[in-house]
Amino acid sequence: MMALVDTELAFSVLLGREQGLVEQILADIALGTFVSGNRLVTAQLAERYGTGVNPVREALKQLEGEGFVTSQKNSGARVASFEYTSMRDLFEILQLLEPYFMAWFVDHYSDENVARLDQLLQQMRGLTTNDRVGFLHLDNLFHWEMYRHHYNKSALKIWKTKRLMLLAMHGNLAVSRTRIEHSIGEHQQIIDALRAGKGAQSVQALALHLSSSEDYWSKLIR
């Protein structure tokens, strides 16, 4: 059984050393630490992240430009209310990138990779019903295990950023046990296809998993 984990652990895959303050704030939104409508007080954020107020202001300005933060003259910066169209656009980008990574993985994976995927899946099965953070952490690791060796590091960096942004849109939404169980089954189909040496089938299973995930979150956002 896996306990709730902190931000750094839960998003260790997405928050690499090259990531900065913007990504840390996004991670806190993704974890539900800050939710839609919450004020983002510059001095408090500076203390939280161990930095100065000017870097925080710059980060908030960037997040405002990307639609994650709103700013008004008298109320300051707040976490934005996210729209379906923004989430749809991010899903479409991920649905282009992830099968591209997977198509390379099916030609290069090892038994060790599959064993690692299976280990992560078993940990998902052992989660408590309300462990949203644990599920997101393991899901990140599962996908990362399939993509991390890809040669196109620029594309991987885009994937990390867009996935983190997508998770931030879900920050104040619960993951139902039914969705977790469906997701576990979809991950199992990917593993089964890999073990059977059916590369095209595993890519198709991944695409169906992404489509199923989009359908679930779309209904909640709408």
Side-chain angles (χ1 to χ4, degrees), residues 161-181:
T161 302
K162 299 304 181 185
R163 186 169 173 87
L164 183 57
M165 293 172 76
L166 184 63
L167 291 171
M169 291 184 175
H170 304 159
N172 62 340
L173 302 175
V175 184
S176 71
R177 186 63 203 179
T178 300
R179 176 55 202 157
I180 290 177
E181 289 173 355

Side-chain angles (χ1 to χ4, degrees), residues 16-126:
R17 290 181 181 177
E18 77 279 2
Q19 304 296 338
L21 186 56
V22 167
E23 288 76 19
Q24 292 180 64
I25 298 173
L26 276 176
D28 272 339
I29 297 174
L31 284 168
T33 304
F34 306 129
V35 300
S36 295
N38 280 172
R39 286 193 64 199
L40 298 170
V41 182
T42 304
Q44 293 176 357
L45 294 179
E47 182 178 357
R48 178 178 180 83
Y49 302 118
T51 186
V53 292
N54 286 333
V56 170
R57 289 194 184 104
E58 292 174 5
L60 292 177
K61 180 179 281 190
Q62 182 176 333
L63 288 169
E64 183 179 0
E66 294 173 353
F68 288 91
V69 169
T70 59
S71 182
Q72 295 181 358
K73 185 175 181 180
N74 296 322
S75 61
R78 294 181 182 272
V79 179
S81 297
F82 302 115
E83 297 180 357
Y84 162 73
T85 53
S86 300
M87 189 200 68
R88 177 205 62 197
D89 293 349
L90 285 174
F91 260 115
E92 288 183 357
I93 293 171
L94 293 176
Q95 286 168 338
L96 290 172
L97 284 175
E98 297 201 29
Y100 162 69
F101 296 140
M102 191 68 179
W104 185 89
F105 178 72
V106 298
D107 289 332
H108 297 85
Y109 72 93
S110 65
D111 290 342
E112 183 180 352
N113 294 133
V114 178
R116 174 62 174 155
L117 292 174
D118 190 59
Q119 180 186 43
L120 292 167
L121 187 60
Q122 295 312 312
Q123 290 181 51
M124 285 186 195
R125 294 186 194 277

